[in-house]
Amino acid sequence: MRARRLGRLVRRGLLLAYPAAFRARFADELLTDYERVVTRGGQGEPGWRAWSRLLRDTAVSAPREHASRLKRPGGPMDTLKGIPGEFRSAWRGLASAPAFSALVVVTVALSMGPTTAVYSLANWLLLRPLPGVSDAEGLGFVRHGVAREGGLSPRRITYPNLLEITTALETIEALGATQGGTATLLWEEGRGQPVPLEFVTPEYFDALALRPSAGRFFNAAEDDPTQGGAMVAVVSHSLATTRFASADAAIGAEFSVNRHTVEIIGVLPPGFHGLTRIGQTDLWLPGASHDAVRNFSRANGGTSRDDGIGFYEFVARLAPGFTWEQAEAELGSLAAGLAERYPEANEGLSVGTFVVYPRIGNDPLRRDMLARSLRLLMFVTASVLLVGCSNVTNLLLMRAIDRRGEICLHKALGARSSVLVRRGLLEAMTLCAIGAVAGLALARFFLSAIEGSRLGGMFQPISRVETDSRVVAFTAGLCVVVALGASILPALWISRADPARWIAGAGSRSKRRSAHWRTALIALQLAIGVPLVIGALLFSSTLAALAEVDPGVRPGTVRLLVVNTGDQGYSPAEVSAYQRDLLDALQGETGVDSVVMASAVPVACCAMYTFVADPKADVEGTPLTMPEFHVTRGYFDMLGIPVLQGRTFRPDEQFPAADAEADVVIVSQSVARHLFDDDTPIGKVVRFPIRGRKGRDFRVVGVVGDVLTNDLVEPAPHIVYLPFGAGGFAVPQAWLLVDGEEPAAVADTAMKVGAQVDPLLPLLRMDRSPGIREALESHLSERVLLGRLFTSLGIVALALAALGVYGATGRAVSARRREIGVRMALGANGARVVGTTLRGALGALLAGAFGGAGLSIFSVRLIEGYLYGVSRLDPATWCVALAVLVVVGGLAAAVPARRAVLVEPAEALRQ
Amino acid sequence: MTRRGSRGTEGKSQAPEPLTPAVFHILLALADGPLHGYAVMQAVAEAAGPSIATGPGTIYGAIARLQDSGLVIEAGAHELAAEPESTGAGRPRKYFRLTERGLEALRGEAGRLTRLSDLVGAKNLLPEDGNS
């Protein structure tokens, strides 16, 4: 019984394979015959064979019936064949209304361009795999260190430990270690050039599944720490091809890295410059060659487990079937095992932890900040897109209403609503497609505004953002969504247009309904514009407040260059001698007004400073440290840092002899307050435990003004200034500050003189922040960018909304022309008529203002982190924003409303 | 009727196109009088053997296309020699019969096959004792 019921169900199920029309025609016959085949017809053959015949028959015949249905006259294929004709018809219709078409295209371009730009940026930063990297989904960063607030304090994994970990790992297919840095690269002849490099293990390339453009990558023998690592290099495609005719030609070539001859054995794929999108690495050396290349010698060699060559950054490829959580747990347990087996050598491992960051391409510790910036950009552009969409809907709806007669006539002659709706959709699609293409071009313009800015706290600014097929596909998809979304209301209106009412001369019910919809759409546009206007005003206030911030230095025309004697194998005395020679050589150069050297520069990017412990820390129980700036004479004058008390350093106090005891110090105003309260500190002795040498006394000879270091919105730090090279300490990585009337020429002179003093030691020019002024601007760049974006897109949103108000009020005046004429004839005054006409627009304005204020309460939270000197709920800003909205909307409504007063009663009545 | 459809009809009236074996066998089965789908299926299976697919879906699909092209129509109750059978749902089964055009197409195809057979016979291609 149950089998029969099941059989019947299956037979009915088989029927579903056929098109509905076929089922309607033959369902009874088929079901009857199925039963016969399976029961009586199957006499003499097993039931399963009859069933299999039925299934085979269905599998063959059902697709044939579907294909036949598609091809039949009037079927979907026929409909598709008719589309080119309908498209031509739509095109002709649009060509006959050029103003309408142009307005829609411009609106779509203005609203889609910014969205496409932000998608391009997100695609470039987050989605697009790094050039040459295969299967990027399974890749992630791994870092080792001690957890602290806001990140990790790095702890190295030495080669012996790394070998044991990678041998035992099951969850990770390949774990490549990497350590970044810079080195001086020198070709056979010519001057050295600073080049960003990475020391890596061979697994680095395995994990990334990179294929060399030419040559090969390192092998295990070349990365053997017991042998000191081979002097072989893999270089970027750009480095190879700027020097050689092709990547292949670079193989076997030799150059010098920090005075060591290195042979090129491989070239990476074009575009690959390290593990992040904004990476700039050009050179990869075996990790085991780290100490040799950096001219660094360890007491116990580079291979020891406790203090050998090691890494704290890794790139990992997850093994199939495992998760990142499992990988992190396994790494942790392996490290714990090592700490247990070799407790004395692995103190760092016992306190350290492995942290896994899925995905590569951007700095894992700054992802949250980057995501915050991108979210904000998406919010702004999505707002404009929404405004644009509602505007296009409004325009399409008005066009449909204008063509009521034509639509009703077509319907009266037998045209189906679906055909008319399809024609409207084709029109919208055509206009949106043209607008999308223009939007793509506009996106390039927006991207060029974003390029060069540092988003999300990035160290490097965004370079040229490349668009790809994914962006084009996104734009095409967005175009379809916009066209479909904007066509819903007009389609409803077209499908409900009633020819009988039109022929009878009656007004359309849907026409009245559409007026409500249009008002609602305008209110929506105005509401979306409010958060953008408020955001623009808040950013403007923030930038004004930041412009008032005194960084404590005079931007002037100072040029900054980096002197990096580290990794050159110089002794401290040689470092100081070189720096002294460089300063002396530059002093007499034409055009150079002043030149100083320092270990750190206020507000400049990536200040290179070390710290001294706070003498009061023990007293107050606070583990405070203070930056120590080693500076040569003239530093305070050049940067305009005021000397508040005492004096600056004397020439004999800088570059003292190695055995001379430096005993003078200049402190910043905040240090003076902190250490000496309100007493005058000059002449007082303070004990700074500098670099572990506890109990060293310094005599305070001066107090200078406070300066900001890395961020304009944080309070000025306590800074201690020491004479350059004090106590026989060399400052291997220092800033060279040069000043003159022609800043660019002065920087060139410094580069030239640097090369003369030591041809193998190039100075590094700070291309992106060549001076203090540029460094200051760089700190503001993200806020400036967001402020400009809010302002420009706020204007676009307001303009689109104003256009909607203008159009709707104008239509209302035209539609009520006769009624207005009657009123005027009956003695109504102009103000009353204008007031009546403005009623609809005022409703939309009020609804937009209230709705916008509501939206803004939530949206301003997104920008709160960027604000300075102004609250997100600043009443004045909100009032101004709402006033701007009301004034712009009011003006847009008043212009057509004024036309109502000009209606001649006699003429209107005659119509 | 589309332009393409009318051109197809004109073509048929001038020189009937060759019929597919399945269509020929269905028309042949209907040459004896109106039949329902299952009877057509059985007749085709008996005449053509396993060389032609005779599942219900295939047969009704072919009949639908023959109806659309005007070679076959549904027979009225008065055209049937006996009471029509019923479907599982209790409704009378659909019977199909040839139209004039269907008969003409069948004759045309039969003539073509006969000529072909004569030609093959004249060439002595087949062995004396086997003509299958």
Side-chain angles (χ1 to χ4, degrees), chain A residues 2-36:
Chain A
R2 188 175 290 173
R4 280 181 64 182
R5 191 181 296 168
L6 185 67
R8 199 157 49 233
L9 264 176
V10 174
R11 290 197 293 273
R12 286 192 172 277
L14 284 180
L15 265 190
L16 293 176
Y18 293 94
F22 188 78
R23 286 203 304 271
R25 204 161 159 187
F26 297 116
D28 269 3
E29 309 294 319
L30 279 167
L31 281 174
T32 311
D33 292 354
Y34 282 166
E35 197 177 350
R36 279 193 180 183

Side-chain angles (χ1 to χ4, degrees), chain A residues 847-861:
Chain A
F850 278 112
L855 273 179
S856 303
I857 288 171
F858 299 102
S859 63
V860 286
R861 286 176 195 277

Side-chain angles (χ1 to χ4, degrees), chain A residues 538-578:
Chain A
L538 288 176
F539 269 110
S540 161
S541 302
T542 295
L543 290 172
L546 284 171
E548 294 296 317
V549 171
D550 179 11
V553 293
R554 185 181 57 231
T557 51
V558 175
R559 298 289 94 172
L560 306 173
L561 296 104
V562 175
V563 183
N564 189 1
T565 54
D567 306 340
Q568 299 296 318
Y570 284 170
S571 67
E574 286 170 328
V575 168
S576 292
Y578 165 77

Side-chain angles (χ1 to χ4, degrees), chain A residues 150-454:
Chain A
L152 280 178
S153 284
R155 290 284 188 280
R156 273 179 299 137
I157 302 287
T158 54
Y159 261 100
N161 285 338
L162 182 62
L163 188 67
E164 290 199 30
I165 288 173
T166 49
T167 310
L169 267 177
E170 287 180 0
T171 55
I172 290 176
E173 209 169 75
L175 183 71
T178 171
Q179 184 180 335
T182 55
T184 302
L185 186 149
L186 182 75
W187 297 102
E188 255 177 62
E189 71 294 337
R191 294 173 186 169
Q193 66 180 94
V195 58
L197 66 80
E198 283 181 55
F199 291 97
V200 298
T201 56
E203 290 80 10
Y204 175 92
F205 303 108
D206 297 340
L208 295 169
L210 288 163
R211 285 172 181 276
S213 287
R216 61 176 179 86
F217 298 137
F218 316 132
N219 54 38
E222 286 160 339
D223 187 42
D224 183 355
T226 59
Q227 304 297 316
M231 287 296 158
V232 291
V234 172
V235 298
S236 69
H237 193 269
S238 58
L239 185 70
T241 49
T242 47
R243 178 77 187 178
F244 301 96
S246 68
D248 287 317
I251 304 301
E254 290 185 342
F255 55 78
S256 149
V257 178
N258 290 349
R259 300 164 200 260
H260 298 275
T261 302
V262 175
E263 182 194 348
I264 298 176
I265 60 164
V267 177
L268 279 160
F272 183 82
H273 287 283
L275 300 176
T276 62
R277 175 61 65 187
I278 54 169
Q280 295 178 325
T281 308
D282 277 324
L283 179 63
W284 287 261
L285 300 174
S289 70
H290 173 272
D291 285 5
V293 170
R294 298 195 68 186
N295 296 302
F296 184 73
S297 64
R298 293 174 205 263
N300 47 7
T303 56
S304 76
R305 191 178 290 273
D306 61 341
D307 189 33
I309 300 171
F311 306 88
Y312 54 86
E313 292 183 350
F314 307 86
V315 58
R317 179 172 289 280
L318 200 61
F322 291 100
T323 63
W324 286 115
E325 288 76 16
Q326 289 170 324
E328 195 172 80
E330 190 189 15
L331 282 166
S333 78
L334 289 172
L338 284 168
E340 202 174 316
R341 281 203 298 282
Y342 313 102
E344 286 181 13
N346 280 335
E347 205 176 314
L349 278 181
S350 60
V351 291
T353 173
F354 276 101
V355 181
V356 166
Y357 304 91
R359 289 181 289 112
I360 62 167
N362 43 61
D363 185 350
L365 299 180
R366 289 169 187 275
R367 276 180 190 165
D368 288 348
M369 290 166 78
L370 182 64
R372 185 183 72 159
S373 299
L374 285 175
R375 264 200 304 273
L376 188 56
L377 290 177
M378 280 175 188
F379 162 75
V380 179
T381 52
S383 300
V384 175
L385 183 68
L386 209 54
V387 172
C389 259
S390 59
N391 214 310
V392 172
T393 304
N394 224 338
L395 288 166
L396 293 175
L397 193 57
M398 285 199 271
R399 178 165 164 81
I401 293 167
D402 286 344
R403 295 167 68 194
R404 184 185 172 213
E406 181 190 332
I407 290 165
C408 288
L409 190 63
H410 274 104
K411 279 192 170 181
L413 292 174
R416 280 177 300 167
S417 289
S418 61
V419 173
L420 298 172
V421 166
R422 198 165 62 223
R423 189 168 297 171
L425 191 61
L426 269 178
E427 282 189 5
M429 283 282 187
T430 307
L431 293 174
C432 285
I434 299 170
V437 172
L440 261 178
L442 200 63
R444 189 62 253 162
F445 169 77
F446 274 100
L447 281 176
S448 64
I450 292 171
E451 286 162 2
S453 302
R454 294 194 309 174

Side-chain angles (χ1 to χ4, degrees), chain A residues 599-603 607-615 623-631 635-636 665-671 674-675 688-691 704 706-710 714-722:
Chain A
S599 63
V601 182
V603 300
M608 299 173 285
Y609 46 70
T610 49
F611 297 90
V612 292
D614 183 346
L624 280 180
T625 56
M626 294 188 283
E628 56 169 356
F629 282 26
H630 291 247
V631 302
Y635 180 84
F636 302 108
V665 68
I666 294 173
V667 295
S668 66
Q669 194 176 11
S670 59
V671 173
H674 175 63
L675 294 181
F688 285 121
I690 293 179
R691 306 204 176 193
V704 293
D706 285 329
V707 294
L708 299 179
T709 49
N710 274 336
E714 284 177 9
H718 301 337
I719 298 175
V720 174
Y721 297 92
L722 297 169

Side-chain angles (χ1 to χ4, degrees), chain A residues 25 28-29 33 36 57, chain B residues 57-58 60 85 91 93-94:
Chain A
R25 204 161 159 187
D28 269 3
E29 309 294 319
D33 292 354
R36 279 193 180 183
D57 174 59
Chain B
T58 307
Y60 283 107
E85 288 182 26
R91 285 186 283 271
R93 293 209 62 155
K94 286 179 178 171

